[in-house]
Amino acid sequence: MASALETLCGQAYGAKQHHMLGIYLQRSWIVLIICTILLLPLFIFTAPILRLLGQEQSIASMAGTFSLWFIPVIFSLVFSFTFQMYLQSQSKNRIISYLAALSLILHISLSWITVTKLHMGVSGAMGSMVLAMWIPTFGQFAFLLCGGCPDTWTGFSWIAFKDLWPVIRLSLSSGAMVCLEVWYNTILVLLTGHMQNAETEIDALSICLNINGWEMMISLGFLAAAGVRVANELGGGSAKAAKFSIVVVVGESLSIGSVLFVLFLLFRGSLAYVFTEDGEVAREVAVLSPLLAFSILLNSVQPVLSGVAVGAGWQSVVAYVNVTCYYLIGIPLGIVLGYLIGYQVNGIWIGMILGTLVQTLVLVCITWRTNWDKQVTIAQERVNKWLLPKSNVACGGRGTA
């Protein structure tokens, strides 16, 4: 849902309405905190929910333990994601990188101490994760309050509680778009849990998805770049610059994805031993590696086009595309190939890849056929519609900061 802020802040910053960014940030906090509170029962009752869905007792119980530890994490994400969108829209990426590096070092160090030296197991690993997630958030708060964004932050304001409905609506569209993508991969694990020899299958799949997740971080970086550049250029009134940004970002991401595609095909036999010493799991990873390579290739294009959609404010359109391609094409095909034809986890993943391929082709067509001059007009109308006078924002900030 925080990606709504990427659209709002990016377009307002491009239109030089800098004083609105702080108001949008606070409105997003209000919306996301309420949403997180509403989601708490899902985290509290994860184990019984998974058991009702037919998962094995051991898998459901461990998932329930992890989900309870994630409660403080999801509250930290309310602020870390919104801060990230707010700062990225102003191209203030350095502070995000520094704090992320600090968080990574801290997480690795604390995990090593708590798990290896203190033998605290899951509790140690998750406790270190909670600390590592909150420290960058406090750092971003300090950066903001100490004058890191003087043009866009005028202090806390009661104005943020007004006109929340447009932010809620765009946030819900953004949440639907992103969640439908994330849940798509989660369903892959859920379906695999019903296979024969499920633990080995899930171990192998988890390794592949972990590798895929590492590579996805590169694509998410390009997603952010595409979203920021497109939003800034549309808000600034330049359709030509927006189109040029799309071509450059997609080209760079696809080049990196193509290199990784070849590397994962070449080294598929040795990938698993970075994560496990189990020969059976390693052999299963080697079988899945070609599918992993194709997923990585698609991931070098699809997230970037999603970033373009976020920058232009198309979240609701992409949500409909995701429902159709993922849940009406990809998952049914995966179930047929995996269960009915008997390809097991390979069949499920092939179906999911085909769904992603269709979604990518649809997004390419939408992007190619878009009238970007019209998108400039829409973006500027959105900025002007929600614009508040700078004097009003400043007065509201001084009164409550």
Side-chain angles (χ1 to χ4, degrees):
M1 291 176 69
S3 67
L5 201 60
E6 195 168 5
T7 305
L8 297 172
C9 286
Q11 294 184 358
Y13 191 80
K16 302 190 184 304
Q17 302 295 340
H18 297 166
H19 62 287
M20 288 300 300
L21 272 69
I23 298 299
Y24 287 144
L25 176 63
Q26 293 171 67
R27 287 174 176 169
S28 190
W29 286 342
I30 295 167
V31 173
L32 266 63
I33 287 173
I34 293 171
C35 179
T36 303
I37 292 171
L38 294 175
L39 286 173
L40 283 180
L42 184 62
F43 286 82
I44 295 170
F45 300 108
T46 293
I49 289 172
L50 288 177
R51 283 196 290 269
L52 285 174
L53 292 172
Q55 288 294 334
E56 292 184 10
Q57 174 66 33
S58 59
I59 294 174
S61 296
M62 184 56 69
T65 301
F66 276 111
S67 69
L68 293 176
W69 275 104
F70 264 102
I71 290 175
V73 173
I74 60 174
F75 279 99
S76 76
L77 296 178
V78 169
F79 299 101
S80 63
F81 279 144
T82 51
F83 271 131
Q84 182 177 333
M85 304 304 175
Y86 167 77
L87 293 170
Q88 282 179 347
S89 66
Q90 307 169 62
S91 297
K92 293 183 182 293
N93 298 313
R94 188 170 297 178
I95 182 64
I96 300 174
S97 300
Y98 289 157
L99 290 171
L102 174 64
S103 176
L104 178 62
I105 294 170
L106 183 67
H107 192 183
I108 293 172
S109 302
L110 288 175
S111 295
W112 178 72
I113 292 170
T114 56
V115 176
T116 305
K117 296 299 182 182
L118 301 180
H119 305 290
M120 294 174 64
V122 170
S123 297
M126 295 304 295
S128 66
M129 179 180 179
V130 171
L131 287 174
M133 293 300 292
W134 271 103
I135 285 178
T137 300
F138 290 135
Q140 288 166 333
F141 262 118
F143 178 78
L144 190 69
L145 298 177
C146 292
C149 303
D151 294 331
T152 60
W153 178 259
T154 58
F156 295 100
S157 175
W158 287 108
I159 295 175
F161 287 90
K162 298 179 180 179
D163 298 324
L164 282 175
W165 175 243
V167 179
I168 293 172
R169 188 170 55 190
L170 187 58
S171 295
L172 290 173
S173 298
S174 302
M177 177 188 120
V178 176
C179 287
L180 288 170
E181 293 188 13
V182 175
W183 293 343
Y184 189 53
N185 288 326
T186 305
I187 289 172
L188 176 59
V189 179
L190 190 66
L191 292 174
T192 304
H194 294 277
M195 295 286 180
Q196 295 178 352
N197 196 19
E199 288 194 14
T200 300
E201 297 281 4
I202 289 179
D203 284 344
L205 184 61
S206 297
I207 290 172
C208 291
L209 291 180
N210 201 340
I211 296 170
N212 192 47
W214 284 358
E215 186 278 333
M216 181 67 92
M217 293 302 103
I218 300 174
S219 300
L220 290 178
F222 284 110
L223 182 156
V228 169
R229 295 309 307 163
V230 170
N232 286 170
E233 300 300 349
L234 291 179
S238 178
K240 183 177 180 181
K243 290 188 287 186
F244 180 74
S245 299
I246 296 169
V247 173
V248 171
V249 177
V250 171
E252 290 179 351
S253 183
L254 182 58
S255 299
I256 295 173
S258 299
V259 172
L260 292 175
F261 171 77
V262 174
L263 289 176
F264 281 110
L265 284 179
L266 292 176
F267 296 103
R268 63 184 184 181
S270 56
L271 284 176
Y273 291 104
V274 177
F275 300 89
T276 182
E277 296 178 356
D278 189 316
E280 186 177 358
V281 173
R283 285 190 293 273
E284 187 62 32
V285 171
V287 172
L288 293 174
S289 291
L291 300 178
L292 172 63
F294 279 104
S295 294
I296 287 172
L297 185 62
L298 285 175
N299 286 343
S300 65
V301 177
Q302 181 268 333
V304 180
L305 296 178
S306 294
V308 172
V310 169
W314 299 340
Q315 287 93 329
S316 59
V317 174
V318 179
Y320 288 119
V321 172
N322 289 349
V323 167
T324 303
C325 298
Y326 289 161
Y327 297 88
L328 300 183
I329 297 176
I331 292 175
L333 277 175
I335 292 173
V336 169
L337 292 172
Y339 286 95
L340 299 183
I341 297 181
Y343 287 166
Q344 299 293 308
V345 66
N346 301 66
I348 294 173
W349 202 344
I350 289 171
M352 308 287 263
I353 288 176
L354 291 174
T356 305
L357 175 61
V358 174
Q359 186 239 24
T360 303
L361 293 175
V362 171
L363 291 181
V364 168
C365 290
I366 292 173
T367 305
W368 181 267
R369 295 171 62 87
T370 293
N371 183 336
W372 289 99
D373 291 313
K374 183 178 179 180
Q375 293 303 312
V376 166
T377 303
I378 293 172
Q380 293 181 335
E381 287 177 352
R382 179 185 291 118
V383 171
N384 293 329
K385 181 180 179 181
W386 297 345
L387 181 64
L388 294 172
K390 188 173 183 179
S391 58
N392 288 6
V393 173
C395 290
R398 284 198 298 269
T400 58

